[in-house]
Amino acid sequence: MKEEFRHFWDQNGRAATTRFLDDWCRRAEASTLSVLRKMAGTFRMHRTGLLNYYRCPISTGPLEGVYNKIKTLQRQAYGYRRATASNSPGILVAP
């Protein structure tokens, strides 16, 4: 059932997604697995946020990728004596 929830992101439109989410939560709450019941409760609490994805499908993935590159460069720069030497690689990462 956990794998079935992946189809949430493949739904066409907000109405179909709402039906899918409500149906999935209803079946999860009827399950004997406490983890699925807890997951359904979490999805119900965040229902509005989940459904808002279909109103404005924005992903923060690219931003998180740039942030990860900057953190990696900062880790590599530990030990430099001057601040300018450790800041120079960050210029190369900026989009």
Side-chain angles (χ1 to χ4, degrees):
M1 200 160 153
K2 179 183 80 170
E3 289 80 16
E4 183 182 320
F5 190 78
R6 292 181 186 170
H7 297 294
F8 174 83
W9 308 108
D10 301 330
Q11 300 300 310
N12 295 324
R14 190 176 168 105
T17 306
T18 302
R19 285 191 302 272
F20 179 86
L21 183 62
D22 290 341
D23 180 54
W24 191 92
C25 287
R26 192 174 331 105
R27 288 184 289 125
E29 288 170 347
S31 172
T32 58
L33 298 174
S34 63
V35 175
L36 281 179
R37 289 196 307 265
K38 184 176 179 181
M39 190 180 215
T42 301
F43 287 159
R44 287 208 190 270
M45 284 191 311
H46 297 285
R47 184 175 189 268
T48 305
L50 287 166
L51 294 175
N52 278 343
Y53 173 78
Y54 287 92
R55 184 179 307 161
C56 186
I58 294 176
S59 173
T60 61
L63 177 65
E64 290 177 14
V66 170
Y67 180 66
N68 189 34
K69 287 180 185 178
I70 291 170
K71 283 177 50 177
T72 301
L73 287 171
Q74 285 176 339
R75 275 195 305 273
Q76 292 173 351
Y78 285 146
Y80 282 109
R81 297 182 115 198
R82 295 176 301 161
T84 56
S86 64
N87 289 339
S88 60
I91 295 170
L92 300 174
V93 178

